Amino acid sequence: MDRITLGVDTFGDVMVDEKGRPLGEAASLRHVLEEGIIADQTGLDVFAVGEHHRDDYAISAPETLLAGLATRTQGIHLSSAVTVLSSDDPVRVYQRFATVDALSDGRAEVILGRGSFTESFPLFGYSLEDYEVLFEEKLGMWIELMKEQPVTWSGSTRPGLQDAQVYPRTDHEGGIPTWIGVGGSPQSVVRAAAHGLPLMLAIIGGEPQRFAPYVDLFHRAADQLGVARQQVGMHSHGHIAATDEQALEEYWPAYRAHNARLGAERGWPAMTREHFLQEVEHGALYVGSPRTVAEKMVRNIRALDVQRFDFIYTAGQNLPSLRRQSVELYGSQVVPMVREMLADSERSGEDAAS
């Protein structure tokens, strides 16, 4: 296995202080900036931030936050997770990420998606009736923009372009590195394969191994379409502390409240403690000591044969100190363990083959 990419994600959840009082969006954004600096200092590969337009998440303009991080970090790649391309203008999105790429000396990335929330559609004047066509057409335009040559494009969702050169351009080949974020739609998996873009799987519940058919579909679709196979990544939620017991007790209250709010909106049943522990033991939650989290990551990285794992270290109104703790332990302890375990596994396989 080539060197796996290991990063962290956040949606900029609005935080609370020690007395449970909300800190507000502005303070939460400043904390995310500091968390990104910690991620860079611990040697992580990627720091990714998601776009939302709700009162429980502070990040509505990922590129602006990443531009700030570009001037405060040295080596970490800076990505969205995801950019809701359907309700934005591809030209402007590309210009903003190209600006981040310039400020960071080539460290910008983007994960494009349709978004699991729909608030951005009415906010920016789009109809949910056009949900599919908006993403399909705008992704097609994005593919042309990545070439960084004069663009000629036409569609039904915005005025067309005729030999339009978009600035700024990056100073490296290939344009902005781009992934497609998918939550479990086979059509989206095939679309990513058809465009020759890497696939990021949002695995946020249930047994991660159930996504194996999507990985297989992605590679089979590429083969059948005659395009090169691309990388597959996954991201999942979790929390890290010195011991398993400490991690469970620190994470459960905020996660329960977070799940209850989303459940009320989407008709989910209330999460019980038993369901939570089941997700930690067998599902998509990575909660525990550094070794516990590392061992679970390695099991699922190998089971799904992914080349990237992003750890979502926030879920709900947790304390700033606990979020920093999770990032620090992930970068300083979990990641080295994961790399060592994967290397040992690969060496064992080579020894057995010989």
Side-chain angles (χ1 to χ4, degrees):
M1 175 185 287
D2 294 333
R3 184 181 188 274
I4 189 166
T5 298
L6 298 170
V8 288
D9 285 6
T10 179
F11 303 149
D13 307 53
V14 175
M15 292 182 282
V16 295
D17 63 16
E18 297 287 348
K19 296 184 178 180
R21 297 172 299 196
L23 293 178
E25 295 91 352
S28 296
L29 286 169
R30 291 190 289 269
H31 280 290
V32 172
L33 188 74
E34 295 305 314
E35 292 154 6
I37 294 169
I38 293 170
D40 181 55
Q41 292 171 342
T42 58
L44 293 179
D45 295 320
V46 181
F47 187 79
V49 297
E51 174 193 348
H52 293 87
H53 303 271
R54 302 163 48 88
D55 63 355
D56 46 353
Y57 298 124
I59 302 171
S60 61
E63 309 94 321
T64 306
L65 181 59
L66 296 177
L69 272 169
T71 65
R72 301 282 303 278
T73 55
Q74 299 297 320
I76 199 165
H77 283 231
L78 304 170
S79 177
S80 62
V82 300
T83 290
V84 185
L85 190 66
S86 308
S87 56
D88 209 331
D89 183 81
V91 173
R92 293 295 288 142
V93 175
Y94 199 89
Q95 289 175 323
R96 296 194 293 261
F97 271 96
T99 301
V100 175
D101 196 71
L103 295 176
S104 65
D105 195 18
R107 292 185 282 126
E109 297 183 1
V110 61
I111 302 177
L112 301 176
R114 294 180 296 176
S116 60
F117 296 93
T118 59
E119 288 86 357
S120 65
F121 288 83
L123 184 64
F124 298 118
Y126 293 100
S127 171
L128 286 172
E129 295 178 357
D130 299 324
Y131 187 79
E132 292 290 342
V133 69
L134 281 166
F135 188 71
E136 185 64 48
E137 286 197 0
K138 292 185 177 186
L139 179 58
M141 177 185 277
W142 181 272
I143 298 297
E144 295 303 311
L145 291 166
M146 288 177 66
K147 300 173 184 176
E148 300 195 336
Q149 300 295 322
V151 175
T152 296
W153 177 92
S154 62
S156 63
T157 55
R158 60 149 284 166
L161 298 176
Q162 182 66 42
D163 292 326
Q165 180 65 64
V166 173
Y167 303 101
R169 290 173 289 191
T170 63
D171 54 9
H172 52 81
E173 292 186 6
I176 304 297
T178 300
W179 294 62
I180 299 296
V182 174
S185 161
Q187 295 83 359
S188 297
V189 171
V190 173
R191 179 192 291 122
H195 284 296
L197 296 175
L199 178 73
M200 177 61 73
L201 294 169
I203 304 180
I204 58 175
E207 294 186 0
Q209 290 87 346
R210 69 190 175 90
F211 279 78
Y214 293 104
V215 178
D216 180 64
L217 173 63
F218 181 63
H219 293 316
R220 285 191 293 109
D223 293 344
Q224 293 175 13
L225 292 167
V227 298
R229 290 190 174 195
Q230 299 294 324
Q231 292 187 332
V232 179
M234 60 186 287
H235 77 171
S236 296
H237 288 89
H239 178 68
I240 309 165
T243 67
D244 292 348
E245 293 77 14
Q246 180 184 340
L248 290 169
E249 295 310 311
E250 289 176 347
Y251 194 66
W252 166 238
Y255 186 76
R256 176 180 57 188
H258 173 73
N259 189 272
R261 173 167 184 168
L262 295 184
E265 296 177 7
R266 300 185 177 189
W268 300 342
M271 175 166 280
T272 64
R273 176 79 174 191
E274 290 72 25
H275 184 193
F276 169 67
L277 294 175
Q278 178 72 13
E279 279 291 323
V280 172
E281 184 68 23
H282 302 291
L285 283 179
Y286 296 73
V287 180
S289 68
R291 179 158 294 278
T292 295
V293 171
E295 288 175 346
K296 184 172 183 178
M297 285 175 59
V298 169
R299 286 197 302 272
N300 290 318
I301 287 168
R302 293 176 62 192
L304 296 177
D305 191 23
V306 297
Q307 292 76 51
R308 173 171 167 178
F309 186 103
D310 285 358
F311 180 79
I312 311 173
Y313 65 94
T314 56
Q317 294 184 327
N318 223 331
L319 299 175
S321 59
L322 297 183
R323 289 173 40 157
R324 290 194 301 270
Q325 167 189 293
S326 224
V327 175
E328 289 170 348
L329 289 173
Y330 181 77
S332 64
Q333 296 190 34
V334 173
V335 166
M337 287 184 194
V338 169
R339 297 202 188 283
E340 182 178 0
M341 291 176 192
L342 290 172
D344 288 345
S345 175
E346 190 164 348
R347 282 191 294 267
S348 297
E350 291 172 353
D351 292 343
S354 62

